[in-house]
């Protein structure tokens, strides 16, 4: 018994990797957290980084089994370093199947929510998108990978400033962050091919429908303050034709055409 403990403590990187892989087959999520906390993102085999492996596991275990199919969305989620969009203390959970706090009472959405919202937008690569609720900037980066131009609005100046510097460091020069009340849209850049609201709206503001192109798509969590349904609306003949998808819970959209506080 003592010998076994000793062997584990001093096992060379390749053996530790074997142990990790065995463990991960039995306890995938726990192992991922153990791995992340203890190995601190170090490369163990000169191959892809540990974070890359965690991203791949996130896509393979959380997104594909739940029906996300668009290969461009799956690729973007494998590429964008989600852990760099959150505060240091919660980075070890960056690839877990949960939303995480990003400060000021706000959250970065669960990976699956980001994936499904992005898939519902049906992006081909040429679109101009308006996102409302920049938060960490992670969703904006995913959109930046998949569309031509992204404008994203955040009402809290501190979060907006952090997102600006992260997105610049990572080279997303097709993403512009604006501080303000996104419920009013962005008249000076309208009309948009796509609009994504990433905070819970009591309803889709009419002013945003006016800023959407004919045949354009809006995706938004709509409903009560603490429970919503993801809505996809396509503008057809000047009006929004809505479909409903997954139930969800987002932080509130606060502004002139959202919740008042
Ligand atoms: N998309 C984000 C997560 C969104 S959390 C990400 O990838 O991290 C929702 C965000 O919407 C919060 O940061 C909140 O401050 C912001 N928000 C709420 N009401 C808003 C409004 N009227 N205009 C712009 N941003 C708003």
């Amino acid at each position: 018994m003592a010998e076994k403990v000793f062997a584990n403590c001093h096992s060379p990187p390749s053996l530790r990797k074997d142990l990790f892989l065995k463990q991960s087959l039995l306890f995938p999520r726990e192992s991922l957290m153990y791995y992340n906390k203890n190995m601190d993102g170090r490369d163990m085999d000169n191959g892809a980084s540990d974070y890359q492996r965690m991203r791949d596991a996130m896509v393979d275990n959380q997104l594909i089994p739940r029906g996300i199919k668009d290969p461009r969305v799956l690729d973007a989620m494998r590429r964008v370093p989600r852990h760099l969009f959150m505060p240091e203390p919660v980075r070890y959970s960056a690839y877990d199947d949960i939303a995480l706090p990003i400060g000021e009472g706000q959250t970065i959405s669960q990976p699956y929510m980001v994936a499904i919202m992005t898939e519902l937008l049906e992006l081909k690569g040429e679109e101009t998108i308006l996102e409302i609720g920049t938060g960490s900037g992670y969703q904006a980066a995913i959109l930046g990978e998949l569309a031509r131009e992204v404008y994203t609005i955040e009402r809290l100046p501190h979060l907006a400033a952090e997102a600006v510097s992260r997105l610049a460091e990572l080279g997303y020069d097709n993403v512009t962050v604006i501080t303000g009340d996104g419920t009013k849209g962005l008249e000076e850049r309208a009309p948009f091919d796509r609009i994504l609201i990433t905070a819970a709206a009591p309803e889709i503001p009419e002013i945003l429908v006016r800023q959407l192109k004919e045949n354009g798509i809006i995706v938004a969590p709509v409903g009560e303050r603490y429970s919503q349904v993801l809505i996809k609306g396509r503008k057809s003949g000047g009006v929004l034709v809505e479909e409903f998808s997954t139930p969800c819970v987002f932080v509130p959209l606060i502004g002139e055409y959202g919740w008042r506080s």
Side-chain angles (χ1 to χ4, degrees):
M1 188 64 197
E3 233 179 61
K4 197 173 164 198
V5 172
F6 181 83
N8 281 355
C9 288
H10 295 271
S11 53
S14 59
L15 180 55
R16 271 189 281 150
K17 191 173 108 185
D18 275 5
L19 288 171
F20 167 72
L21 288 176
K22 273 189 205 132
Q23 218 190 347
S24 65
L25 290 174
L26 292 171
F27 307 109
R29 266 199 58 189
E30 286 76 356
S31 303
L32 200 61
M33 287 180 66
Y34 170 86
Y35 187 51
N36 192 1
K37 275 180 190 157
N38 290 278
M39 303 303 177
D40 195 30
R42 270 177 290 145
D43 220 344
M44 291 195 299
D45 62 359
N46 300 322
S49 75
D50 295 345
Y51 280 120
Q52 182 61 62
R53 260 175 252 157
M54 288 176 210
R55 275 199 294 284
D56 286 339
M58 170 186 84
V59 169
D60 295 338
N61 301 333
Q62 299 171 34
L63 308 187
I64 295 172
R66 290 188 182 128
I68 303 297
K69 289 194 184 65
D70 185 335
R72 295 183 72 237
V73 174
L74 295 171
D75 277 359
M77 303 264 322
R78 286 186 202 278
R79 273 197 308 273
V80 178
R82 179 173 163 90
H83 59 285
L84 297 181
F85 287 84
M86 52 189 78
E88 195 83 48
V90 293
R91 271 188 196 168
Y92 71 91
S93 296
Y95 298 99
D96 285 3
D97 192 12
I98 47 175
L100 286 163
I102 53 170
E104 312 231 1
Q106 308 304 320
T107 53
I108 177 171
S109 308
Q110 174 198 23
Y112 172 65
M113 267 301 144
V114 174
I116 191 168
M117 290 190 295
T118 310
E119 187 168 73
L120 289 170
L121 290 172
E122 299 180 17
L123 300 173
K124 300 286 180 280
E126 288 309 309
E127 299 81 1
T128 299
I129 307 182
L130 175 65
E131 182 199 19
I132 297 158
T134 312
S136 67
Y138 174 66
Q139 173 78 68
I142 296 280
L143 299 176
E145 294 269 338
L146 299 173
R148 190 157 54 83
E149 188 135 47
V150 180
Y151 295 92
T152 177
I153 310 179
E154 172 56 54
R155 69 181 270 270
L156 300 173
H158 178 65
L159 290 182
E162 282 187 343
V164 166
S165 58
R166 273 182 201 128
L167 290 161
E169 259 169 45
L170 293 168
Y172 287 99
D173 50 14
N174 61 342
V175 179
T176 307
V177 180
I178 296 128
T179 306
D181 177 5
T183 66
K184 296 189 242 175
L186 192 62
E187 190 61 55
E188 60 270 34
R189 298 289 174 176
F192 298 96
D193 299 295
R194 303 287 187 264
I195 298 179
L196 173 62
I197 308 179
T198 63
E203 58 189 10
I204 295 180
E206 188 49 43
I207 191 168
L208 296 183
V209 180
R210 287 205 292 276
Q211 293 181 21
L212 184 67
K213 283 186 191 164
E214 179 69 9
N215 277 321
I217 296 172
I218 288 190
V219 170
V222 176
E224 304 302 317
R225 196 159 173 130
Y226 299 105
S227 80
Q228 308 89 34
V229 172
L230 211 51
I231 283 186
K232 170 179 179 171
R234 194 185 294 271
K235 190 166 171 179
S236 174
V239 296
L240 209 58
V241 180
E242 294 179 1
E243 290 166 23
F244 299 85
S245 89
T246 323
C248 53
V249 180
F250 278 75
V251 296
L253 179 74
I254 295 172
E256 188 167 336
Y257 302 107
W259 299 98
R260 297 316 288 250
S261 62

